[in-house]
Amino acid sequence: MIKSLCSSHQFLLFSRNVSSFVLPQSHLKLKKICSEYSESSLRPIAAILDKNQLFPSEQIKELGALGFMGILVEKKYGGFDGDTLALSVAVEEIARYCGGTSSIVSIHNALYADTINRLGTIEQKNNFLSDFVNGNKIGCFALSEQDSGSDAANLKTTAKKCGNEWILNGTKAWVTNGIEGEAFIVIARSNESGGHNGISAFLVPSKIAGLSRGKKEDKLGIRASSTCNIILDNVRIPNENLLGNEGEGFKIAMSAIDLARIGIASQAIGISEAALECAIKYAGQRIAFGNPIINLTPVQIRLAKMVTKIEASRLLTWKAAKLRDSGQTFIQDAAMAKLVSSETATFVTHNCIQILGGMGYIKDLPAERYYRDARITEIYAGPTDIQFLVIADNLAKKYGFKIR
């Protein structure tokens, strides 16, 4: 479905009342399908998923059937040959209705499915991709460790070659979708003296001797998406499960993270959009001093700042997506998109609660959930502080300088 939607080169004005950007007609159709599905199937259950930390299994299968679990994957492996802009549009629309579900879709597509689609062998794609794009199975990306989050090159998980096998040992932390995941891309140190070049990537099925899961983390937000540790205790995998070439693991991980930042920026925009809508509707109906509070100047200023930041965030994000789709360098742009969009999500959801007052602080309305869901967007795939460093480093390189 998505391939046919993404093939058109006709352009129309993006129609949402708070957005003005030229999108391909194909992507407008994709947005409409995703929005209609999310409004009818995710909006009614989003609060329940959040409260009870429930993984939306049936909804993920339905999203898979629609093509949203393999957006960037080749059609011959069950995907739909979509592009990065399509992923951004889809994640934003899903996030408007359920932040947790958008996280599941974004991470599965950006970190797992796309990485294997780009780098995997035919055998690897058949074993670790074909059954993962229809929504029946979820894939995960295991990079972070307790003492090596942003300092990813300092990871301690090891992979030792033994004949035609690799033996993996270590613990991976903060693995998104880890409880439900049926396969993992594991980044491990394969050469102790190789530095960045001593790290490799491996494909590890969940049902294998020596692999276990830690407790399900009880999180502030995106609670429909599970997070846990993955423990590897003498896990043996065949050499055929090495993803890419030996020593390329760090490069593979960073490339995947760059794409993930576009997905997270899109998630942040979707959450912001939902919070803005909530705030406007409430402000138009809440009577104070004899009039709806939307007539109050302080409320108008808040709303104006909210929508302006959302617009700027979306344009940065779509620019990064289009750069990637055209084969151009997009690292700095992805970092800027994530930086601005995630800070926007925190700002917009905060101001949504301020406009709602006491009603924003209780669970009768979704404002407090938006606020909690927004907070993670400034943390995962590199916290805000790391985005500053990435942007500054790439900026310096453009002018011929090197930051040490």
Side-chain angles (χ1 to χ4, degrees):
M1 178 179 293
I2 292 176
K3 181 179 180 181
S4 63
L5 294 179
C6 294
S7 60
S8 172
H9 293 289
Q10 296 178 344
F11 289 85
L12 292 176
L13 185 66
F14 189 55
S15 60
R16 185 177 300 161
N17 61 349
V18 292
S19 187
S20 54
F21 188 85
V22 176
L23 273 179
Q25 182 181 21
S26 54
H27 291 68
L28 288 171
K29 292 179 181 179
L30 181 152
K31 183 189 80 70
K32 184 174 185 292
I33 292 171
C34 192
S35 181
E36 289 177 349
Y37 172 81
S38 299
E39 184 166 14
S40 63
S41 299
L42 292 176
R43 188 197 286 274
I45 64 171
I48 298 171
L49 297 176
D50 172 75
K51 180 180 180 179
N52 299 308
Q53 299 190 73
L54 297 176
F55 186 86
S57 300
E58 291 305 313
Q59 289 71 30
I60 291 298
K61 290 178 181 178
E62 291 166 356
L63 286 167
L66 289 170
F68 294 113
M69 299 306 290
I71 294 176
L72 299 169
V73 176
E74 296 174 81
K75 187 175 181 180
K76 62 183 176 181
Y77 297 109
F80 294 91
D81 289 328
D83 58 15
T84 313
L85 184 59
L87 176 64
S88 178
V89 170
V91 171
E92 179 185 334
E93 290 305 312
I94 295 169
R96 288 180 64 204
Y97 302 99
C98 181
T101 302
S102 73
S103 181
I104 296 167
V105 173
S106 178
I107 298 301
H108 172 85
N109 273 284
L111 291 180
Y112 180 83
D114 178 71
T115 304
I116 298 175
N117 183 67
R118 287 186 296 109
L119 303 171
T121 64
I122 294 176
E123 182 181 9
Q124 288 172 343
K125 292 177 182 179
N126 287 330
N127 293 335
F128 290 95
L129 195 56
S130 294
D131 289 339
F132 288 79
V133 296
N134 55 15
N136 290 319
K137 292 183 178 181
I138 291 291
C140 305
F141 188 81
L143 170 64
S144 295
E145 298 176 5
Q146 200 65 43
D147 296 321
S148 62
S150 297
D151 184 14
N154 192 38
L155 58 84
K156 299 297 189 295
T157 297
T158 61
K160 296 188 181 299
K161 190 75 176 291
C162 182
N164 292 323
E165 292 183 318
W166 289 90
I167 304 175
L168 276 59
N169 282 283
T171 298
K172 290 298 183 178
W174 315 113
V175 179
T176 301
N177 304 327
I179 297 296
E180 297 79 15
E182 296 201 38
F184 305 87
I185 295 177
V186 175
I187 311 298
R189 183 164 297 284
S190 55
N191 184 336
E192 290 295 338
S193 60
H196 286 74
N197 296 323
I199 296 172
S200 299
F202 302 89
L203 296 169
V204 182
S206 63
K207 295 180 176 63
I208 191 170
L211 187 149
S212 61
R213 297 172 170 89
K215 68 179 179 67
K216 182 178 180 179
E217 301 291 353
D218 190 3
K219 299 177 298 189
L220 175 71
I222 57 165
R223 290 161 61 85
S225 168
S226 68
T227 303
C228 69
N229 286 358
I230 300 298
I231 300 97
L232 305 159
D233 183 12
N234 288 322
V235 172
R236 291 178 173 268
I237 58 171
N239 188 56
E240 290 75 18
N241 285 23
L242 174 68
L243 181 62
N245 296 318
E246 185 177 348
E248 293 183 345
F250 187 80
K251 182 174 68 174
I252 290 170
M254 293 303 101
S255 175
I257 292 294
D258 290 333
L259 173 60
R261 286 172 178 156
I262 296 176
I264 292 166
S266 306
Q267 176 190 10
I269 295 165
I271 295 169
S272 299
E273 192 77 73
L276 175 65
E277 179 182 323
C278 179
I280 291 174
K281 287 183 176 179
Y282 185 84
Q285 297 171 0
R286 172 73 164 90
I287 304 299
F289 308 106
N291 289 290
I293 64 172
I294 200 169
N295 291 315
L296 299 175
T297 299
V299 172
Q300 293 174 9
I301 291 173
R302 287 185 188 275
L303 292 172
K305 288 182 177 180
M306 291 159 73
V307 70
T308 301
K309 288 179 180 290
I310 292 172
E311 286 285 347
S313 299
R314 184 179 290 115
L315 291 173
L316 277 170
T317 302
W318 285 353
K319 178 191 175 187
K322 291 298 290 182
L323 285 172
R324 184 179 188 271
D325 289 336
S326 62
Q328 299 181 62
T329 299
F330 70 100
I331 297 172
Q332 179 180 330
D333 296 271
M336 290 192 297
K338 182 184 182 296
L339 169 67
V340 174
S341 299
S342 61
E343 289 189 337
T344 290
T346 299
F347 176 87
V348 170
T349 55
H350 168 85
N351 278 275
C352 175
I353 291 177
Q354 289 299 115
I355 291 172
L356 269 63
M359 289 303 297
Y361 201 68
I362 62 177
K363 293 182 182 292
D364 289 1
L365 292 178
E368 59 84 30
R369 171 162 52 86
Y370 300 149
Y371 185 78
R372 290 185 289 105
D373 284 349
R375 194 62 190 87
I376 189 60
T377 64
E378 286 197 70
I379 298 173
Y380 62 359
T384 298
D385 310 77
I386 293 297
Q387 306 314 311
F388 285 126
L389 299 181
V390 171
I391 294 165
D393 182 63
N394 281 270
L395 180 62
K397 288 177 181 177
K398 290 180 181 179
Y399 284 86
F401 300 107
K402 183 177 182 180
I403 296 177
R404 298 185 182 278

